[in-house]
Amino acid sequence: MANTVLIGQYRETNSVFHRLDPRTKILCIIVLMLSFLMLETFISYAIATIVVMGILLLSKIPLHVFVKGLKPLLLILIFTFLYQLVFTEGKVIWSYSFIELTVEGLQNGIRFVWRIVLLILLASMLTLTTKPLSLADALVKLLSPLSKINVPVEQFSLMIVIAIRFIPTILQELDRILLAQKARGYDLSSIPLLKRIFAYIPILIPLIFTIVQRAEQLTYAIDARAYGNGRGRTSYKQLKFQYIDYHVAFIVIIVVVILLIIKIWGI
């Protein structure tokens, strides 16, 4: 399970996106994700899909990594699609008792699921192509103006990076607990789905206990390295924008402008 999660893992490849400044990746991904919220027509979705697929291919990360990463979200995607299909009013295409399926519901379900998949794939590129320390340094640089009003930027950036990095760690601990339960003859995969949901409740107790232990150990490690509040700390590798960063930012601006024009003109 830990190997299937997209957010929080780093994959080393010699790609264009790995060489980008992390500040460029953060800003460009945020701008693209905001522009994807404007998607309405098929043309806009097609352009967004081409952009995301191009990014995935240029990252040189195997596509099966993204496919495996979407599998744990399959239940959420199905629920989102069915919710829009059943509860959206419009032209009825099929009905049974009080359940009515509409054309508008089918269209909304496809659009919502399509948009969620695009946003997840786009967001995953940030952690898959950026090391945690580089991501923390980038957040500190981007949020540095807030330090003038006494906002603990360094601590906030470290907290965000640790939270992201802990996602695969938590899933890894869950896998370990499930294997321990299976070794004792308690296999959750053999239990029906509805009962399996309630069967996970007793597992949450050792999982939470382990997470608290990990957090406490991490706190001791940070204190042992005299990190403190992080203010005034320097980095061995300084962040610096290169020509490739400006080129990528220019391409992102063009994509956003095209999507905005499509939104305004209703193409």
Side-chain angles (χ1 to χ4, degrees):
M1 187 181 297
N3 294 327
T4 60
V5 66
L6 289 176
I7 307 297
Q9 297 202 55
Y10 174 74
R11 295 264 180 167
E12 181 67 47
T13 61
N14 185 22
S15 70
V16 175
F17 293 98
H18 286 75
R19 297 194 297 270
L20 285 176
D21 190 288
R23 292 171 294 179
T24 303
K25 285 185 274 191
I26 292 175
L27 293 176
C28 290
I29 287 177
I30 290 176
V31 171
L32 283 176
M33 292 179 71
L34 291 176
S35 66
F36 284 1
L37 297 178
M38 303 185 301
L39 302 179
E40 288 186 356
T41 63
F42 174 78
I43 295 178
S44 62
Y45 274 95
I47 294 175
T49 304
I50 293 173
V51 171
V52 173
M53 291 304 299
I55 292 174
L56 299 187
L57 293 175
L58 290 175
S59 68
K60 296 183 180 180
I61 298 175
L63 292 179
H64 68 82
V65 174
F66 300 99
V67 175
K68 288 183 178 179
L70 290 174
K71 284 184 178 179
L73 302 173
L74 186 60
L75 186 61
I76 298 176
L77 297 177
I78 293 175
F79 175 79
T80 302
F81 177 78
L82 294 178
Y83 179 85
Q84 294 295 327
L85 183 63
V86 175
F87 293 100
T88 302
E89 297 181 354
K91 183 179 179 181
V92 179
I93 56 176
W94 183 84
S95 63
Y96 178 78
S97 184
F98 62 93
I99 300 176
E100 292 183 347
L101 308 184
T102 63
V103 176
E104 290 78 6
L106 180 61
Q107 295 174 348
N108 288 341
I110 294 175
R111 285 205 301 262
F112 272 85
V113 171
W114 195 348
R115 184 184 300 173
I116 291 173
V117 171
L118 292 178
L119 292 175
I120 292 173
L121 292 177
L122 190 59
S124 66
M125 291 303 301
L126 182 60
T127 54
L128 286 173
T129 62
T130 311
K131 295 181 179 180
L133 290 179
S134 299
L135 185 59
D137 291 340
L139 288 174
V140 170
K141 295 292 185 182
L142 292 175
L143 300 176
S144 58
L146 297 177
S147 61
K148 297 180 180 179
I149 56 176
N150 296 325
V151 175
V153 173
E154 293 81 4
Q155 297 180 36
F156 177 77
S157 302
L158 181 64
M159 179 184 66
I160 294 298
V161 173
I162 290 176
I164 295 174
R165 183 62 187 87
F166 250 62
I167 295 175
T169 303
I170 293 173
L171 294 177
Q172 192 175 36
E173 289 295 333
L174 179 60
D175 287 340
R176 187 179 64 84
I177 294 173
L178 291 176
L179 287 175
Q181 296 283 354
K182 190 174 182 179
R184 294 173 174 85
Y186 187 65
D187 189 6
L188 290 179
S189 60
S190 60
I191 302 176
L193 180 60
L194 293 177
K195 292 184 178 180
R196 193 186 311 169
I197 296 175
F198 293 99
Y200 273 102
I201 296 177
I203 296 177
L204 293 177
I205 297 175
L207 179 62
I208 294 174
F209 180 76
T210 305
I211 293 172
V212 172
Q213 277 190 327
R214 285 290 188 98
E216 189 175 5
Q217 293 172 1
L218 183 60
T219 302
Y220 290 148
I222 292 175
D223 291 339
R225 289 163 176 80
Y227 186 83
N229 59 10
R231 290 192 174 183
R233 294 184 66 90
T234 58
S235 300
Y236 173 74
K237 186 177 180 180
Q238 297 295 323
L239 300 179
K240 185 178 180 182
F241 290 113
Q242 301 177 5
Y243 286 111
I244 189 173
D245 296 293
Y246 297 108
H247 294 161
V248 171
F250 180 70
I251 294 174
V252 170
I253 292 174
I254 292 177
V255 172
V256 173
V257 170
I258 293 174
L259 293 177
L260 185 59
I261 291 175
I262 292 175
K263 170 72 175 180
I264 294 175
W265 289 358
I267 301 176

